[in-house]
Amino acid sequence: MKRRVAYGVDNYEELVRDNGYFVDKTSYIAKLETIKNPVFLRPRRFGKSLWCRILGAYYNVNRKDDFERLFGHTYIGQYPTPLRNSFIILPLNFSIIDPKGTIEEIERRFDYMCNLRLRTTVGLAETYFQNRVEVDLNRSLSENLEHVLTHIEHYNLPPLYIIIDEYDNFANQLIMANQDQQYRALTADDSFLKTFFKILKEGRGAGTIANVYITGVLPITIEELASSFNIATFLTLDPEFEAMLGFTQAEVDQLLDSVYQDYGFDPATRTEVDAIIKNHYNGYRFVTSDGEALYNSTILMYFLRDFTRHRQIPKFLTDQNLRTDLSWIKRITGVYPADTEALIGQLTTENIVPYDDNLLTNKFNMSQFFASSFHPISLFYLGLLTRRDLFVMALPNMNMRQIFAEYFNELHHIDVSTRYADMMQRFVDHPDLEQLFSGYWQQYVSQLPEAIFAQVNENFYRTTFFELCSRYLSYWFTWNVERSYPQGKSDLEFVGKYHEKFAGLRWVIEFKYYSNAELSRLKTGIESFELQHEDVEQVAGYVEGLKMEYPEAKISQYVIYCFGNQGFRVFTV
């Protein structure tokens, strides 16, 4: 029976029931048991909610009879801890709480939604509570929770294990909506949220709460709540837990082995597929810059879902949900629009932005979050940037490069949608790189504001050319940016999809840039500019490595010279 690619499924029991592919991270359960009140932050779509459901299923005292079915195939099923099925589980998901309206309205919705969850928890544990506890929906969550904890203590019942998913979701929505006054009220000393966390702290001290696991995206809210819940242990930057969420290369290799076997894919296509997913979904480094990079697990499943359904590489490799994160950039830098333009411009031209490693802490408040010095740190937590080294951050993969290039076009009002159909159709009919790049220069580069040319470089031309091509040619091609070879990294490669008309075609392109001033010093015109010997050797070195990997490929090699805003030359090597 073929296993299912469960994209977007965060219900562990559904995953097991439907025989979904599962990358086993359960060895981390034992490690987590040594941590008191762990807080683990990761960007969206890294599997946080699924992990919460796994923890809930593992520790649930009511699921003892289901343990083998749920965990028999996992590491923790083979090596269970003594605490398995020992607690009454209270799962809370703050993402379902609507943050609209006054702080009083938010509080009513918070109490109502969480009280419903608490009432369900008490009902499922009726064997222990025996109708002695009532969760009154007209009371606050804190009052009801305190009542439940008192009953647990009095009757010596199994303690609660509280799992809070998306702890910062509705607070983040207030920040995004510029509702700063409501946010300050939410995190004030007398707020309902701080009162709730005080109850958690008291329950931990009394032993009626076995542990509190908290997950989310940003550390802002937990910092604001520090006075009420100063017992948290932050694991976000702990090297032991870096790979608890997200996939390692070994895990992805094993997953692809299973997919290829189950669905009978041609093994000859595996190398190309491996390269595509690594370029688009890998590259996240949360703790150190020299450690192993991680894959975004949910976005990888997005690819595999379409890959297994249609048995070919998807046309679009970027999950549209990723683009919603760009709204954070507008909010973070929105106070000073020039900051937005500068940040996006730097990432588009350089693909790096400097940061202060001392600021990369687990906790900071909202005022810091919007300071320009914190922009790289904020985008790091949102998953838009990752560590390149101790001094600069970079876009983690081609997905993010494409998204930021799109945002660059939006900021500068550059038309990328209405003037390119003819040139792209000509290319599909008769592939000609020089003609394609000429169309890009005439239609795209001609729209750029004059001020942009003080910043452009070879990376800028490469990135915007790739982004434009990917809009129109993704049906037939994928692309590599900075692909590694023994001789270095290539700038840009066109790769014909193995199941389309350009199968086997590979174009290796090296970009070189000369400013207007440098061109003037050369004392030669663009038309008389000659191909440079060292550039020929450079691109030939990449092709040598490529031939060793793909001896049957139809490889062409090019050097593209861009001269400020004056023109270009394309040479076939």
Side-chain angles (χ1 to χ4, degrees):
M1 177 181 176
K2 291 181 181 178
R3 278 173 284 183
R4 173 189 173 198
V5 177
Y7 166 69
V9 174
D10 58 14
N11 186 332
Y12 178 64
E13 295 184 32
E14 177 184 341
L15 194 67
V16 173
R17 183 192 67 222
D18 294 349
N19 194 30
Y21 286 106
F22 176 66
V23 174
D24 188 1
K25 298 283 189 176
T26 60
S27 62
Y28 284 96
I29 291 178
K31 297 178 182 179
L32 274 179
E33 287 187 0
T34 67
I35 308 298
K36 297 180 179 179
N37 315 306
V39 176
F40 191 75
L41 307 178
R42 277 292 180 270
R44 295 194 307 128
R45 293 171 299 278
F46 262 83
K48 298 187 298 295
S49 297
L50 175 60
W51 183 245
C52 287
R53 295 295 292 260
I54 291 172
L55 291 177
Y58 179 77
Y59 287 114
N60 196 330
V61 69
N62 298 315
R63 306 305 299 271
K64 291 180 180 179
D65 294 340
D66 280 344
F67 184 82
E68 182 61 29
R69 179 179 67 87
L70 293 174
F71 293 100
H73 62 292
T74 68
Y75 177 91
I76 201 67
Q78 302 300 312
Y79 306 99
T81 67
L83 294 179
R84 81 176 203 186
N85 302 120
S86 295
F87 309 122
I88 298 171
I89 304 300
L90 175 58
L92 299 173
N93 185 349
F94 287 1
S95 69
I96 65 175
I97 299 166
D98 187 351
K100 296 184 180 68
T102 66
I103 194 66
E104 291 76 19
E105 291 170 329
I106 296 172
E107 179 178 0
R108 283 196 294 271
R109 286 191 290 269
F110 174 83
D111 286 333
Y112 180 74
M113 298 303 295
C114 294
N115 274 331
L116 286 178
R117 188 67 258 175
L118 181 60
R119 174 184 279 185
T120 299
T121 293
V122 170
L124 291 173
E126 191 54 44
T127 302
Y128 301 100
F129 289 108
Q130 298 182 358
N131 291 318
R132 291 187 292 247
V133 173
E134 178 186 0
V135 176
D136 187 346
L137 297 183
N138 295 314
R139 293 193 299 189
S140 71
L141 171 65
S142 295
E143 290 177 297
N144 281 318
L145 181 57
E146 201 162 25
H147 182 52
V148 169
L149 294 177
T150 300
H151 192 86
I152 288 174
E153 184 175 26
H154 181 77
Y155 289 96
N156 195 28
L157 304 183
L160 289 183
Y161 191 112
I162 299 180
I163 301 170
I164 303 177
D165 190 17
E166 304 288 354
Y167 92 98
D168 57 340
N169 185 278
F170 66 104
N172 290 346
Q173 290 189 53
L174 291 176
I175 296 172
M176 283 288 293
N178 294 299
Q179 301 295 321
D180 296 351
Q181 183 176 350
Q182 281 94 326
Y183 178 82
R184 286 191 291 271
L186 179 74
T187 56
D189 288 341
D190 60 348
S191 72
F192 70 89
L193 194 59
K194 278 202 171 182
T195 301
F196 167 70
F197 275 92
K198 286 177 183 176
I199 300 300
L200 298 188
K201 182 178 177 180
E202 291 172 4
R204 286 291 286 125
T208 51
I209 297 178
N211 214 348
V212 180
Y213 177 79
I214 298 174
T215 187
V217 176
L218 296 170
I220 304 175
T221 309
I222 202 70
E223 166 65 7
E224 304 284 4
L225 299 171
S227 60
S228 300
F229 198 68
N230 58 0
I231 57 174
T233 303
F234 293 90
L235 301 180
T236 306
L237 304 179
D238 188 320
E240 186 179 7
F241 292 91
E242 181 173 22
M244 186 168 74
L245 298 181
F247 295 163
T248 65
Q249 185 63 58
E251 289 168 338
V252 170
D253 290 343
Q254 187 174 9
L255 176 61
L256 263 291
D257 287 345
S258 298
V259 168
Y260 262 71
Q261 180 176 347
D262 291 347
Y263 285 82
F265 285 112
D266 183 356
T269 67
R270 176 66 180 273
T271 303
E272 184 174 332
V273 171
D274 284 345
I276 290 170
I277 63 175
K278 187 170 186 177
N279 285 337
H280 284 82
Y281 312 124
N282 195 16
Y284 296 91
R285 291 179 168 87
F286 295 104
V287 178
T288 63
S289 57
D290 55 357
E292 181 179 5
L294 294 172
Y295 285 79
N296 181 311
S297 50
T298 304
I299 307 304
L300 175 61
M301 289 300 186
Y302 161 85
F303 171 91
L304 292 177
R305 179 195 62 180
D306 286 1
F307 183 58
T308 54
R309 283 179 61 193
H310 305 299
R311 301 191 64 82
Q312 61 185 25
I313 299 167
K315 178 180 179 181
F316 298 109
L317 299 174
T318 300
D319 187 343
Q320 296 298 314
N321 288 324
L322 281 173
R323 290 178 169 84
T324 63
D325 290 337
L326 287 180
S327 57
W328 274 104
I329 301 177
K330 300 175 184 178
R331 176 65 176 105
I332 292 168
T333 63
V335 178
Y336 303 105
D339 286 353
T340 306
E341 197 169 303
L343 179 64
I344 300 303
Q346 180 163 3
L347 287 169
T348 305
T349 56
E350 303 286 348
N351 187 33
I352 57 172
V353 60
Y355 76 105
D356 183 350
D357 190 54
N358 294 311
L359 300 180
L360 192 56
T361 174
N362 287 290
K363 301 183 288 183
F364 51 87
N365 58 41
M366 191 171 72
S367 62
Q368 290 174 308
F369 184 71
F370 294 105
S372 59
S373 60
F374 267 80
H375 290 165
I377 310 300
S378 304
L379 298 182
F380 165 84
Y381 278 103
L382 291 164
L384 303 177
L385 293 178
T386 193
R387 294 176 186 258
R388 173 171 285 188
D389 54 41
L390 291 176
F391 304 102
V392 297
M393 288 190 178
L395 300 171
N397 47 47
M398 287 180 65
N399 259 344
M400 282 302 164
R401 285 180 183 238
Q402 187 170 351
I403 288 172
F404 272 76
E406 289 177 5
Y407 192 30
F408 174 89
N409 294 332
E410 179 185 330
L411 282 176
H412 294 284
H413 309 289
I414 298 173
D415 177 10
V416 291
S417 301
T418 66
R419 53 174 71 188
Y420 304 93
D422 288 344
M423 60 178 271
M424 294 299 176
Q425 184 61 60
R426 285 196 302 271
F427 178 81
V428 173
D429 293 338
H430 304 285
D432 184 314
L433 180 62
E434 183 171 6
Q435 186 180 68
L436 181 65
F437 197 81
S438 177
Y440 153 81
W441 194 275
Q442 293 169 16
Q443 301 297 339
Y444 179 91
V445 176
S446 63
Q447 298 181 68
L448 294 172
E450 187 68 27
I452 291 294
F453 292 100
Q455 308 167 29
V456 300
N457 55 20
E458 61 190 58
N459 183 72
F460 172 83
Y461 285 118
R462 173 185 64 184
T463 299
T464 52
F465 179 58
F466 149 67
E467 195 281 327
L468 185 67
C469 291
S470 67
R471 284 175 172 269
Y472 293 92
L473 302 175
S474 290
Y475 187 87
W476 301 276
F477 290 95
T478 62
W479 290 265
N480 296 325
V481 174
E482 295 183 343
R483 191 171 192 269
S484 294
Y485 295 100
Q487 297 87 345
K489 294 182 178 180
S490 62
D491 276 347
L492 179 65
E493 297 180 15
F494 279 59
V495 181
K497 290 183 176 179
Y498 66 82
H499 46 76
E500 293 298 341
K501 63 184 292 187
F502 301 117
L505 180 149
R506 284 181 174 264
W507 287 356
V508 182
I509 307 169
E510 181 69 17
F511 281 80
K512 297 297 178 181
Y513 174 75
Y514 290 85
S515 67
N516 292 335
E518 288 171 325
L519 177 62
S520 179
R521 286 195 295 269
L522 291 175
K523 297 181 179 180
T524 183
I526 294 176
E527 291 304 318
S528 57
F529 185 87
E530 296 182 353
L531 179 62
Q532 304 298 296
H533 177 69
E534 60 270 22
D535 300 332
V536 173
E537 289 189 335
Q538 186 175 0
V539 71
Y542 305 147
V543 170
E544 181 182 341
L546 184 60
K547 286 180 177 177
M548 294 178 65
E549 292 185 63
Y550 299 95
E552 303 301 321
K554 296 170 283 188
I555 301 173
S556 299
Q557 46 193 313
Y558 304 89
V559 179
I560 298 178
Y561 295 94
C562 299
F563 303 97
N565 62 341
Q566 297 187 47
F568 66 93
R569 289 292 306 274
V570 177
F571 288 96
T572 302
V573 179

